Structures are given as structure tokens and as C-alpha cells.
Amino acid sequence: RPHPVPLVETHADLGHQAGQVLVDNWRDTHTVPSDTLYPHQWSWDSAFVAFGLRHICPRRAQVELETLFDAQWADGRVPHIVFDPRVDADAYFPGPKFWQSSGAPGAPTVETSGLIQPPVHAPAAWAVHRADPEESTRRGFLERLYPRLAAWHRYLATDRDLGGRGLAAIVHPWESGMDNSPAWDLPLSRVEPLPGHSFVRRDLHHAAPADRPTDADYGRYLKLATRYRDHGYRDADTPHEFAVEDPCTNALLVAAELAMARIAEEIGADPTPHHDTAARIAGALVRLLFDPAMGAFVPRDALTGERIASVTVGGVIPLIVPGLPEEITEAVVDTLCGPWFRLTDAHMVPSYRLTAPDYSPRRYWRGPAWYNTAWLVREGLLTHGYDNLAQALRASMLETAASGGFREYVDPWNGRGRGSGRFSWTASLVLDLLR
Ligand code: 9WN
């Protein structure tokens, strides 16, 4: 059974400490996810950071998103990493020497990766605007970002509709933001890994090997990324060995299109196309990815058309979509409260089913509970009126953060922190919960 984590700080202290993490991890134009493990700018991290930063420095939160979108590619993709040229190129692997983005068609001048991450940016931009509408309007924040966000969503909904079913596909586990999630094991098993001696990992300098993906995982990640790179990161030309319709990415795209409708209204543009896109993707999500027997959403292999029978936290995050059929909402909440995720009983929301034979309390996305996913689940609970459960999840997040030094993820059974410390989105989302 889970053990309670002692609350060692008051919430006022907690807010102050969280703000200090964000101040320390700020690098002139963006926030690094972690001072040690991730010394560049990451895409969905920046969006999560913006949600908290807006409470203490709305201007900085705007700049955070603007910097990321300055690195947008001509096809609309927002890269998952934007490399800081001031940082040693070997500080993170795979770094700019591996990705070689500036040689690819349509890439920006700054070095980036060629992959993407889930689209949390439009809701972040909308939230940042609302934190200080006057300053946002004065700087033309939404007007400038809106066409870029639209191009980003268009890329996902068209270039990435690899299965032709109206859903965006990810072409690499890193694109899900949940790198070694068990949901990718089956499609990944078809990929022949690069041998371990052909690359040098840097992450193991900063984190315990048992908390991180394995060398075999990395061999496959690099194999996929190399093939994409060698085809100029062109989706139509790359013979993808991995293409998966991820429920979390698609649900976030629905939420992002709904945020776009609000932004459009605010700046005097037509919100209708955004409502239409949101409805279309939500329809496909429900029709193609909801599994009634599991009581959750599951991914679908875009290459074989088969559903992947693996329930992870990514399969409950679609709760964030408003207007889901009631029986689906109820089934997902039952799944969250049942033995697989034990909401209100475990610490936050485990990334994988607690009862799965291959569940691991410490290995990254194969069990540990993360703050960004807990925050998204809480948003989903609020969306459907489960206020008490949302309140309990908030309390669990604050309690765990207070005792743990804003760690990257925690063991859902005892709340003990793991991975990097002073992690930016942990601090940011805690700040957001305190407001
Ligand atoms: C690869 C930065 C990122 C997060 C991801 C998380 C982890 C990177 C890594 O760190 O991924 O992108 O090196 O493991 O899985 O969600 O955005 O915090």
C-alpha cells in the first residue's frame, strides 16, 4: 500500500521555492527542463513551464513560447529540442551533431532535433495571455503566435496523418514525451537496434541507470532517428518503421484546437475552423482509440492498423477532451480509481498500470508518477465535473512536491522522488496549482 509523504513545508514556502527553481533554470530566452540532465529547450516542457511562469512573470512566459516558435520549421513542425549554442554540444546526447538539422530542408538556422512533442502550446499561449491581457495585447503576443500555432497544428493534422484516419501519428517514442512507455514495446520490437558501442549516452552521468531507459531502448531510438534524419526528416519520403496514433497526443491536439478557437475570437479571426478540426479529431479519437473492454484509450499502430492493447497514463489523459460520451468519461474515471491507477490512494497517477507484470516503480515512463501527466489528468477531471477527485489529486501533487525537491518523477507507492531534481515543469505546475 502507498505510504503517506510527510508535508514538511507550508504552501507559501513551496510557492517561493518553486519560483526559485524557475528563476534558476531560466537562460535569457527560455527555461531548461533541468540544469543537469536537459541543458537545452524542450518543446512540451516549455509549454508546461509557461503555465506556471505566467503567475510570476507573464512577460517571461510569453518569451518562453516565442523562443520555441522561432525555431519552427517551414513545414510547421515545432522541434522537440532547440539547442542552445552556448552549451557544449556534447552535454546532451543525442545533440546537434547527431540531428544535423541545419542541413535539412525547411529547418531554422538554430540547431534543433527533427522530432516533435505533444501539442500543449496553444492552451499554454491562451493561459499566458489571460495572466496579463494588457501586456500580451501591447506586445501583440497572440497575433504573432496565432499563425505559427495554426501552422503547427496543420502539420500534425495533415503531414502526420500517416494512417489516413484523421489522427496524427508519432514516428518516434521521444515524440510522445513518454519515451520508454510500455505502449511502444510492440511496435518498437520490430526495430533492429543500433549496437550499444555505436553511441555514448550522457544521461547516465546525471541519473541512476535503473531510473532511465535501457541501452537496447536507446539503440532503437537512434536507429529510428537516423533513418528519419537520412531522409531529410521528410514524412512523405521516410519509410517509417514506427508510426503510432497516440491517444494522448491526439487528445491534446483537440484541446489545443479548442484553445485556438478562443485565441481566434480574441484577435478577431474566425474560430469555426478550429471547432471543426477539434470535433473531427475528437470523433476519430473516440471511434478508433477508445477500448471499452479496457475502459481507456489505447494507441493504434498506423503501419498495421492494429490497436495496441496497452493501457498507460496516456490512455486516461483524453479525459481532457470536453463533451466525451458520458459512458466513456465514466469508464475512464473508473479505470483511474480502480486497481490499475488507484487515484486518491497512490501518489499522483502512475505512468503505467500498477498491476502489470512488467510495471516498474522507478524506470522512467514504465511506472513512476509524473507531474505533467498528473496535472493533465486533473484538468480532465475538472473538465467533466469530478471536482473532488481533482482536489485530491492536487493535494497529492503538492504533498509529494513539498517532500521531494521538485523531482522529475516519483514512486507512486511511497512518493519518493526520482530522476532529476529541481525539475522545471514540476516547479511550474506546482506554482499553477497554488494559484
Ligand atoms: C528525450 C525533457 C524531456 C521530456 C520528456 C522526457 C525526457 C528526453 C530524454 O526529457 O525525454 O526527449 O532524454 O529522456 O521523457 O517527456 O520532455 O524534460
Side-chain angles (χ1 to χ4, degrees), residues 33-34 37-38 42-45 80-81 92-93 117 174 176-179 203 212-213 218 364-365 370 372 408 423 425:
S34 143
L37 205 49
Y38 311 114
W42 259 259
S43 167
W44 79 332
D45 296 66
H80 103 289
I81 309 173
Y92 175 83
F93 179 82
Q117 273 187 330
W174 280 331
S176 68
M178 304 183 192
D179 314 358
D203 54 319
R212 295 283 306 172
Y218 260 76
Y364 218 42
W365 292 97
W370 293 66
N372 64 330
E408 191 176 6
F423 196 65
W425 79 38

Side-chain angles (χ1 to χ4, degrees), residues 363-385:
R363 203 177 282 284
Y364 218 42
W365 292 97
R366 304 184 76 87
W370 293 66
Y371 289 87
N372 64 330
T373 50
W375 186 86
L376 290 169
V377 169
R378 177 174 173 271
E379 290 286 309
L381 291 167
L382 290 172
T383 300
H384 297 284

Side-chain angles (χ1 to χ4, degrees), residues 2 58-59 94 120 144 174 223 264 325 364-365 401:
R59 169 75 179 263
V120 206
R144 283 183 290 113
W174 280 331
K223 173 73 182 308
Y364 218 42
W365 292 97

Side-chain angles (χ1 to χ4, degrees), residues 58-72:
R59 169 75 179 263
R60 219 173 244 198
Q62 291 174 24
V63 173
E64 178 85 42
L65 293 171
E66 288 164 356
T67 305
L68 179 68
F69 277 82
D70 280 348
Q72 185 168 32

